[in-house]
Every structure is written in structure tokens, then in C-alpha cells.
Amino acid sequence: MAFQILLNFILGFLWMFLSNDYSSLAFAKGYFFGILILFVLRRFFQHRFYFYNVIAIIKLLYIFLVELVKSNISVLKVILSPKLNLRPGIFALETELEKEWEITILSNLITLTPGTLVLEVSEDNKTLYIHAMDIDDVEQAKLDIKNTFEKAIKEVSR
Amino acid sequence: MKTNDIIFQTVTKIVVFIIIIYSLHLFFSGHYTPGGGFIGGLMTASALVLLLLAFDIKTVVNTLQVDYLKLTATGLLIAVLTGIGSFFFNVPFLTHTFSYVQLPLLGKTSLATAVLFDLGVYLVVIGVTMTIIQTIGETE
């Protein structure tokens, strides 16, 4: 992945030198053609074509923004409702992510979407302890997190 | 009860670089825009303090291996030498000058001797701040 990005940058610089035009526009042109070349020769690399990962990152950002708006509206409903019938609680979430940055991103995404909050990561980095503002259905909340955030993060680091 | 600092440490590993590059930008922008040696040094020291907070003192000391007392002395020496340098041109102590130089890559650049004095200030501020914090941190 990193090797492919470096190769793409080198191709962009080569385009600048070949066309004798040292501007950012020329670099962008070379970078675009480099993407095309890498796409055609994508079977030669050990990892998959890196632009899929870029698309996955954009998808993750989109999911995060949508969730942020949705959950903020739900928290607003809770605040403005006359009666508080909340059932706060803490549940454990077994995560399948392994790398440090993946766990960090997952925890921050869970924390930034209101209603849920990461309290603690276990010693072996396998369990997240999450405080939920309103536990209707623990299994449902777990499934939600797994289906949205974990899947998107896995897609990025594939 | 030992807590797991994985999130804090991972974020620190990324943020420290951003803080240090920002401190260098502040250091070099001190001539025409707000910034300078003092605030740049404090910014760099704050990045090191963030490292100290996220990891152990032993880890940071073994990783960097900088003697902050010598760093302070070096900064003071640089600042004094820029003042003494003005004697060679028969002008009063600490007189600073600047000139426009044609550099091969950067083009027309104004090089000022005040930058060297500022470098001394920068090193002294980092050294003093880190000496104070590490001395307080190590005493049981």
C-alpha cells in the first residue's frame, strides 16, 4: 500500500520532468496517469490496488458524518422530551480489530457518536467497555456498531 | 489498577509530529508575523511534555538522549556569540544586520543574524522547561 503510493508519487514527478513543466498541475496530471498505470498493473502487487483503500476511507468518513447527524438528533429528542425514561448501562463489545490505530479509530468513532461512550479498553485489546445512554437492546447496539464502523474500518485496512 | 493507554498513546504518536512542525513554523515566522524563538521553544517543549504524559519518563529519556543542561548552555553560547560577532565590524554589541541573498533554490531571501540569536533563545527555552519538568517529575 505505502509502496504503491510512493510509486505513484515518483510517476507524478517523472511526468513533471518529462514534460519540463514544474507546476502542481503537471504533477496532478502525472499522478492521474500513474493511477491508471497502477490500476492496469494491479495484479503485480502483493496488496490490492491502493485506490480501493482511498475509496474505503471516504466511505468511512461518509458513514461517520451520517451517524453523527442522526445520533445528535436522537440525543436532542431525549433532551427535549418531558419525561426521562432512560436506562443507562455499560456493556462489553468484543472487537475483531487487532492493530492499535484500528482500535483507536473505532473507539473515537463510538465516542463521537452521542449516546455511546468508550470507557475502557481491556489489557489484551480485545474488549471495549462502552457506556450507553439508553440500553434498549444490547445485542442490537453491538450489531449496529459491528455492521457500520467495524466493517468500514476493516475495509480500510484490508 | 493499571489502565490501558492504547488510545492516548496512538493519538500522541501522530499529534506530536504536528505540534513540532507547528513550533518550527512559529520559530521561522518570528521576523514579520507573530511568533519567534520563545513561543517556538515552549511549543516544542510542550510536545515533549505530551510524550512524557503518554509514556514513561524512562522511555522518553532513553529515546531522545538529550542532556537539557548542555542544551541550555549551547543556546546561551550561541546568543552571546552573535553579540560578540558585531565587534568584528566595529559596531556596538548585539548589533544585528540582514541582507538579501540569492539562494540557488529559494530565490531572493533575506537572511538576518537575528535568526541565530533567536535560535539561542529557542534552545534555552526548551532546555530550561524540560529541566524543570523532568526534575520535578523524577523526585519521589
Side-chain angles (χ1 to χ4, degrees):
Chain A
M1 163 126 180
F3 174 72
Q4 289 181 47
I5 295 173
L6 185 65
L7 194 61
N8 206 339
F9 261 85
I10 290 172
L11 285 173
F13 275 107
L14 271 177
W15 182 271
M16 276 184 2
F17 292 133
L18 289 171
S19 56
N20 206 4
D21 176 12
Y22 303 104
S23 64
S24 47
L25 183 68
F27 178 78
K29 281 182 198 165
Y31 197 85
F32 172 73
F33 287 122
I35 289 173
L36 288 183
I37 294 166
L38 283 173
F39 179 71
V40 172
L41 302 178
R42 66 189 178 279
R43 307 238 184 277
F44 286 99
F45 299 109
Q46 289 173 350
H47 290 276
R48 61 177 189 162
F49 177 50
Y50 86 93
F51 216 73
Y52 291 146
N53 293 58
V54 176
I55 292 168
I57 289 170
I58 292 168
K59 263 189 191 159
L60 182 65
L61 270 174
Y62 173 75
I63 287 173
F64 165 64
L65 289 173
V66 169
E67 285 287 320
L68 190 65
V69 173
K70 265 165 51 183
S71 47
N72 268 306
I73 289 169
S74 72
V75 169
L76 192 67
K77 276 183 191 163
V78 168
I79 292 169
L80 294 179
S81 64
K83 276 186 192 168
L84 269 185
N85 44 6
L86 290 180
R87 289 166 53 237
I90 297 171
F91 62 92
L93 174 81
E94 300 280 329
T95 177
E96 295 158 32
L97 302 174
E98 285 167 3
K99 296 192 185 99
E100 284 186 2
W101 63 268
E102 290 174 338
I103 293 165
T104 305
I105 286 179
L106 179 67
S107 317
N108 286 335
L109 283 176
I110 292 170
T111 305
L112 278 168
T113 49
T116 46
L117 174 76
V118 173
L119 299 169
E120 182 78 32
V121 186
S122 68
E123 276 295 318
D124 54 358
N125 295 341
K126 283 208 172 18
T127 317
L128 300 176
Y129 294 100
I130 300 170
H131 178 276
M133 193 178 66
D134 189 6
I135 296 190
D136 293 330
D137 187 2
V138 173
E139 293 304 317
Q140 190 55 45
K142 279 188 191 177
L143 277 178
D144 279 348
I145 290 171
K146 270 204 183 303
N147 285 335
T148 54
F149 295 147
E150 237 188 13
K151 236 171 83 181
I153 292 172
K154 264 189 196 161
E155 196 63 33
V156 169
S157 64
R158 238 179 67 191
Chain B
M1 172 75 190
K2 191 178 167 297
T3 54
N4 193 350
D5 286 341
I6 177 173
I7 298 171
F8 186 27
Q9 286 177 357
T10 314
V11 173
T12 301
K13 279 176 198 168
I14 300 166
V15 168
V16 157
F17 295 104
I18 300 172
I19 298 177
I20 290 178
I21 196 79
Y22 181 54
S23 74
L24 285 176
H25 173 255
L26 277 177
F27 173 76
F28 282 111
S29 69
H31 206 72
Y32 298 109
T33 48
F38 183 75
I39 192 168
L42 274 183
M43 214 32 127
T44 309
S46 73
L48 299 178
V49 169
L50 182 65
L51 278 178
L52 283 174
L53 285 173
F55 302 94
D56 304 332
I57 279 193
K58 274 180 189 152
T59 317
V60 177
V61 169
N62 288 336
T63 314
L64 288 173
Q65 292 189 338
V66 178
D67 188 351
Y68 292 108
L69 289 172
K70 279 178 186 160
L71 196 75
T72 315
T74 313
L76 276 173
L77 195 68
I78 290 172
V80 170
L81 282 178
T82 53
I84 289 175
S86 61
F87 289 149
F88 295 108
F89 302 99
N90 285 327
V91 284
F93 183 62
L94 277 178
T95 306
H96 284 291
T97 176
F98 72 95
S99 64
Y100 290 100
V101 185
Q102 288 286 351
L103 288 177
L105 268 178
L106 301 171
K108 187 180 170 189
T109 321
S110 71
L111 291 181
T113 53
V115 173
L116 296 172
F117 184 79
D118 234 13
L119 183 71
V121 174
Y122 179 76
L123 293 179
V124 167
V125 169
I126 294 176
V128 169
T129 315
M130 292 310 290
T131 308
I132 291 170
I133 286 166
Q134 278 198 359
T135 316
I136 292 172
E138 278 166 355
T139 47
E140 289 296 327

